[in-house]
Amino acid sequence: MISVRTQFLLSLAVGALSLLFFRLNALTITLAVLLVCCLLTLKGRREWLWLLALVCLFALRFAGHQHFLSQQESRPGQKNVAVQLLIYPDDLVLTDTGRIRGQGTLSSGEKVWFSYQAKDIGDFQAWQIVRRPVLVRGRGDDRRILPATNFYQFDFQAFSQTKGISHQLILKKANLEPAQSKNLWQAVNFRFRTWHFACEQWAHHLPNPLANYALALLLGAKDQSLYSDNPKIQELGLIHLFSLSGFHVAFLSGCLAWFGKRLGLYREVTLAILVVALPSFYLLTACPPILVRAVLAGELRLFGQAFHHRISPLRVWSAALLGTLFVQPLILLTLGGQLSFALTLALTLVPTDWANWQKGLFLSVLSFPLIVAQQYTWNIWQSAANLLAVPVFGTVILPVVLSGYFIHLAPLTELTNLVVRVFDTAVAWVGSWPGKVVIGDLTWPIFLVLFVLPWFILRASRQVQQRLTMVWLIALCLGFVRVHWFQPGEYTTFDIGQGDAALLLEPGNKTATLIDTGGKVSFQRRGFLRSKAGATAVDSRTNEGQARSVIVPYLHARGLSHLQTLSLSHQDQDHIGDAHVILENFRVDKLLVPAGMRGQPAFQRKIQPYLQGTKVIEVTDNSRVKNLPLVVLHPFQPGIGENEDSIALAGRVGPLTLFTAGDLDQAGEEKIRQKYPDFRPNLVKFGHHGSKTSTKPAAFAFWQPRYGLISAGRENRYGHPNQETLETAAKNRMIVYDTRRQGMLRYVYYSSKKGYFQVNSNHDLTNVETTN
């Protein structure tokens, strides 16, 4: 028999081993340190042998899984390849623009993401009526998924790897036919997935926010409208309440046990029902990885009750971790997995004499480095929100959502929806209070200290606890000061597809200037295809570009919550479309626009409603802007915000002289050359994404710039950058950096004499075998 201590050490060893196999990061080192500390207390040859034997077993499991992933990732992409794809109805996401996307399984058994654009209404309706697993036969482009192309961007490739996915299939043709199960397990899975989809459709008939809560709490639906409708749920750290976890499993198990007792069932019968119900619930919710831990832990407790044997909570946690890692080897690479196992271990080890507020504070401190490592921000109301929300959630919200979901009576539905709306509104209200602190990207040694020290506080004396708390606070302060006041300067061009956005940050975060914000340019009329019941409604953020996923996290990682200047070169959507995202998430002192643009409809519609306290300054070349480290060279006179009216900015960036001018045309460049004959930029942002309408050969021959930056989308429909522009650069012997090929472009400088370029990727990202 393995002792509780041995099993606990085994779980830590295997956890560290899993991270070591797949990603060496701060959490790996953290677990390794904890493991070494625990191993010092290990006694007896038998315990050592058990530990080593089972660790070797898991090492083989991880090595095999890693080999499978490596082989899958090395498979080259192909164009116009014939495919056969198995798709479950609950994996489909349909939008009102006729776009269908989701997850499917190839005939080889490999999972892939797929997308398909319906050709007409009839084609779209064929997808709308899918209620059972279907087999799709067609042709499309099979591509490897790109890693994140910007620093601090959400890495979709890494996220896909945790699901065993490395490729994306862009279908060009698709014929649907009913899928036939090949074995008993597949037949059972087909049945449960069909039921899961039917349950989702039942929820879609409910009013919001009740529908969103039912989908998230009861069904683990992939639709993220809950978090888009109320982003404060994530900001306040309440997301763990909405993810299928032990919280929900315990509640549902308690409900079944209560009904069994009320019905007069024997205790053994009730336990047998629960033993079957837990894995059935797992299958019914489409087998989310995060639920494996809760199901395994629940089964262990049930077997302990059945045989009148109390199983140690630490043994339950350890066995659940080992079982989860065997089923989902990459679970600890996800934030949900890290939080789930860290918090449940903390609840297992926390002293029983601690008050609820002490437990809540400890869990908040423990989750702090895990959340900040992903989001770079922290809400000071998070602990209070969790302390208040958890009891309300368990005693009110879950029962109300269950009642509203299963009993479709108009009065009850309205009442339950009202209760949920009150809770939802309260969360949004608390989240709107001042208290969001931008922490920034702390170094891994700081994260290591912040995560490890709280564990030693658990069993320490009061005096030692005070000292450890002081060390924890000092480490946090050191990391915070470094991010906010001891960073080099930089000029960074974001890779946001077909658009422009750049950040100029002076050393020590003295001033921060954002030049344009990017934005999504839509070429398909929204609402061309209208969704019927059963299709997932288009997200409210569908028409946004990548500012929320690229620019906002980068600025937060750099410790920025305040921008001195936001400069919008002109009124094109791909330059100002996401300005509202920046204005909503940051305090902006000044907004620069070309003179005459403020009165245009685009400004009134896209920017004016979000200004709050931001001062709008319409500029010409005669304007002098306080705290702007650049000078305005253009426009010379008021216009209407078109390309020829673009703001041109110039100034020193370390040892280089920068010139950036939005979509300014060749005539404008020539006018600048003539008006400022002594101006000689050696770092130039190519105008209009490298279009031939900009980059006048005569102007560049006169300036003789050394470096050029291109911001354009991969496979953009305009063919940017134009070959003529590249030839002009070649004639002037320029070194050209391109976001299409190299991702984010950074010029980092420490002084007026020292600086260097840094790119996100050293490999060509325009390779036809990869995709965003």
Side-chain angles (χ1 to χ4, degrees):
M1 175 65 68
I2 307 177
S3 68
V4 174
R5 180 177 57 184
T6 303
Q7 190 167 347
F8 175 60
L9 295 176
L10 169 65
S11 63
L12 290 179
V14 173
L17 189 66
S18 69
L19 290 170
L20 192 61
F21 261 101
F22 299 109
R23 185 188 300 165
L24 183 62
N25 61 10
L27 191 60
T28 308
I29 301 171
T30 300
L31 287 177
V33 170
L34 286 173
L35 176 63
V36 170
C37 294
C38 293
L39 286 176
L40 295 177
T41 65
L42 195 62
K43 299 178 181 179
R45 181 182 298 179
R46 186 176 181 180
E47 289 190 354
W48 275 102
L49 291 177
W50 273 112
L51 184 68
L52 293 176
L54 291 176
V55 166
C56 290
L57 174 65
F58 273 88
L60 293 175
R61 165 66 173 136
F62 296 147
H65 188 74
Q66 180 64 55
H67 178 69
F68 169 77
L69 284 179
S70 299
Q71 281 191 325
Q72 185 173 294
E73 291 168 2
S74 63
R75 180 172 65 82
Q78 299 179 14
K79 281 194 169 184
N80 196 32
V81 61
V83 294
Q84 179 177 297
L85 196 64
L86 173 64
I87 299 174
Y88 296 107
D90 53 346
D91 276 333
L92 287 174
V93 178
L94 284 69
T95 70
D96 63 356
T97 60
R99 173 68 63 177
I100 299 102
R101 56 184 173 83
Q103 178 182 315
T105 306
L106 297 173
S107 55
S108 62
E110 178 185 339
K111 295 180 180 179
V112 296
W113 301 114
F114 78 91
S115 65
Y116 175 70
Q117 179 61 51
K119 303 299 186 294
D120 51 42
I121 294 178
D123 189 16
F124 185 66
Q125 289 176 342
W127 290 88
Q128 280 186 305
I129 63 174
V130 170
R131 295 291 182 271
R132 298 178 181 276
V134 294
L135 203 61
V136 177
R137 301 182 190 273
R139 306 190 73 87
D141 295 340
D142 179 31
R143 301 179 176 183
R144 286 181 294 189
I145 300 171
L146 278 178
T149 60
N150 296 271
F151 298 113
Y152 306 118
Q153 180 184 4
F154 173 73
D155 194 339
F156 185 67
Q157 183 189 70
F159 168 76
S160 298
Q161 286 176 345
T162 63
K163 295 180 174 294
I165 299 176
S166 60
H167 286 66
Q168 180 177 359
L169 184 63
I170 304 173
L171 291 171
K172 306 297 183 182
K173 297 180 180 179
N175 296 314
L176 306 180
E177 61 183 67
Q180 303 297 326
S181 58
K182 297 179 180 179
N183 50 57
L184 179 61
W185 165 247
Q186 195 173 62
V188 172
N189 193 34
F190 279 12
R191 177 57 60 186
F192 273 97
R193 295 298 290 270
T194 301
W195 289 342
H196 182 240
F197 177 75
C199 292
E200 285 186 348
Q201 302 317 298
W202 182 262
H204 279 301
H205 289 89
L206 297 171
N208 275 326
L210 179 61
N212 285 338
Y213 275 56
L215 287 167
L217 294 176
L218 307 179
L219 302 170
K222 300 175 178 63
D223 183 15
Q224 295 297 309
S225 56
L226 171 68
Y227 306 119
S228 61
D229 290 345
N230 191 349
K232 300 303 179 182
I233 290 174
Q234 290 178 303
E235 186 176 313
L236 289 173
L238 299 177
I239 190 172
H240 66 93
L241 297 177
F242 296 86
S243 61
L244 287 172
S245 62
F247 192 82
H248 307 79
V249 171
F251 179 81
L252 294 173
S253 298
C255 289
L256 288 177
W258 183 84
F259 278 113
K261 186 176 181 179
R262 292 296 177 184
L263 294 174
L265 299 178
Y266 287 111
R267 177 176 173 275
E268 290 76 9
V269 174
T270 302
L271 290 176
I273 293 175
L274 287 171
V275 167
V276 176
L278 288 184
S280 299
F281 179 64
Y282 174 69
L283 292 173
L284 185 61
T285 53
C287 306
I290 198 64
L291 192 57
V292 176
R293 181 202 63 79
V295 171
L296 289 176
E299 291 287 340
L300 282 173
R301 293 190 183 96
L302 290 174
F303 278 106
Q305 294 176 30
F307 294 99
H308 303 284
H309 176 70
R310 183 183 179 278
I311 302 178
S312 165
L314 193 58
R315 172 165 284 169
V316 171
W317 181 89
S318 301
L321 174 58
L322 295 176
T324 304
L325 286 173
F326 202 87
V327 177
Q328 301 287 346
L330 300 181
I331 189 68
L332 290 183
L333 297 185
T334 67
L335 178 60
Q338 294 168 6
L339 286 173
S340 177
F341 283 101
L343 297 182
T344 51
L345 176 59
L347 289 173
T348 301
L349 299 178
V350 71
T352 56
D353 58 345
W354 277 20
N356 287 334
W357 69 267
Q358 290 177 300
K359 295 178 182 178
L361 180 61
F362 178 76
L363 295 179
S364 182
V365 169
L366 193 63
S367 61
F368 175 86
L370 299 177
I371 293 176
V372 170
Q374 299 279 339
Q375 300 179 358
Y376 314 111
T377 62
W378 183 257
N379 196 305
I380 63 175
W381 302 109
Q382 185 177 100
S383 298
N386 273 273
L387 286 174
L388 295 174
V390 169
V392 173
F393 211 79
T395 57
V396 178
I397 300 302
L398 273 173
V400 164
V401 172
L402 277 172
S403 302
Y405 179 79
F406 287 108
I407 307 175
H408 272 239
L409 296 177
L412 181 61
T413 299
E414 291 301 324
L415 178 61
T416 54
N417 190 53
L418 176 62
V419 174
V420 172
R421 183 182 290 114
V422 169
F423 179 83
D424 196 62
T425 304
V427 170
W429 178 60
V430 173
S432 66
W433 296 352
K436 182 178 179 180
V437 180
V438 175
I439 304 297
D441 178 37
L442 307 177
T443 59
W444 73 259
I446 297 294
F447 280 124
L448 178 65
V449 172
L450 296 180
F451 184 73
V452 169
L453 283 187
W455 298 101
F456 292 95
I457 293 177
L458 284 174
R459 303 295 179 181
S461 64
R462 181 174 296 274
Q463 186 177 13
V464 173
Q465 286 180 349
Q466 292 174 348
R467 292 177 180 175
L468 291 176
T469 301
M470 185 60 64
V471 173
W472 193 93
L473 291 173
I474 291 174
L476 175 59
C477 291
L478 289 175
F480 186 87
V481 169
R482 173 190 167 274
V483 170
H484 287 256
W485 289 287
F486 290 93
Q487 292 289 343
E490 64 178 78
Y491 177 72
T492 297
T493 301
F494 294 97
D495 178 19
I496 53 169
Q498 187 63 21
D500 258 357
L503 171 69
L504 176 58
L505 192 61
E506 289 190 288
N509 289 9
K510 180 181 178 182
T511 64
T513 303
L514 186 65
I515 305 171
D516 290 330
T517 64
K520 183 178 180 180
V521 180
S522 178
F523 300 99
Q524 185 175 24
R525 182 164 58 90
R526 190 166 182 260
F528 171 69
L529 297 174
R530 291 295 178 187
S531 304
K532 294 184 178 180
T536 301
V538 67
D539 191 282
S540 59
R541 299 178 180 177
T542 298
N543 290 328
E544 288 184 0
Q546 299 185 50
R548 200 177 297 274
S549 61
V550 173
I551 301 176
V552 171
Y554 185 85
L555 297 182
H556 284 163
R558 302 297 288 160
L560 297 175
S561 60
H562 171 213
L563 298 175
Q564 278 71 30
T565 307
L566 170 60
S567 176
L568 302 178
S569 61
H570 62 297
Q571 67 175 349
D572 282 1
Q573 170 71 12
D574 59 333
H575 290 254
I576 72 167
D578 284 351
H580 70 281
V581 175
I582 303 302
L583 292 169
E584 288 172 339
N585 287 276
F586 298 89
R587 180 165 60 91
V588 180
D589 291 343
K590 302 178 296 296
L591 175 66
L592 306 188
V593 296
M597 177 177 152
R598 186 172 187 176
Q600 301 304 309
F603 183 93
Q604 298 296 324
R605 184 178 67 256
K606 300 176 182 178
I607 299 172
Q608 185 68 42
Y610 306 96
L611 285 176
Q612 299 178 0
T614 302
K615 180 181 179 181
V616 180
I617 304 176
E618 296 187 277
V619 299
T620 65
D621 65 321
N622 295 318
S623 302
R624 297 295 178 265
V625 183
K626 185 179 180 181
N627 290 329
L628 178 66
L630 303 172
V631 296
V632 181
L633 301 182
H634 190 271
F636 300 144
Q637 59 189 13
I640 58 173
E642 297 292 347
N643 287 357
E644 59 269 21
D645 304 316
S646 292
I647 295 178
L649 299 171
R652 297 292 293 180
V653 180
L656 303 180
T657 300
L658 168 70
F659 176 73
T660 176
D663 286 355
L664 188 64
D665 55 16
Q666 291 192 9
E669 294 173 346
E670 180 61 23
K671 291 177 181 178
I672 291 174
R673 182 186 74 83
Q674 294 176 2
K675 186 168 183 177
Y676 305 100
D678 296 331
F679 178 56
R680 293 288 195 281
N682 43 23
L683 173 60
V684 173
K685 178 82 171 293
F686 284 100
H688 205 174
H689 320 288
S691 168
K692 63 181 179 181
T693 62
S694 299
T695 316
K696 187 174 180 62
F700 275 65
F702 179 78
W703 288 335
Q704 288 291 304
R706 177 62 173 164
Y707 304 100
L709 307 176
I710 296 174
S711 176
R714 295 173 192 84
E715 299 182 358
N716 65 83
R717 62 186 292 150
Y718 307 103
H720 295 159
N722 189 270
Q723 186 60 35
E724 293 181 17
T725 299
L726 298 178
E727 291 174 358
T728 299
K731 288 179 181 178
N732 290 279
R733 299 180 180 180
M734 295 177 64
I735 299 174
V736 177
Y737 296 95
D738 188 346
T739 59
R740 298 174 310 129
R741 299 180 182 277
Q742 295 155 307
M744 175 179 278
L745 311 174
R746 300 176 68 201
Y747 181 73
V748 181
Y749 66 96
Y750 294 90
S751 64
S752 60
K753 296 182 179 180
K754 183 180 180 182
Y756 61 90
F757 283 96
Q758 184 181 30
V759 298
N760 181 265
S761 174
N762 293 319
H763 305 285
D764 188 353
L765 298 173
T766 59
N767 189 315
V768 296
E769 296 180 351
T770 59
T771 183
N772 278 331

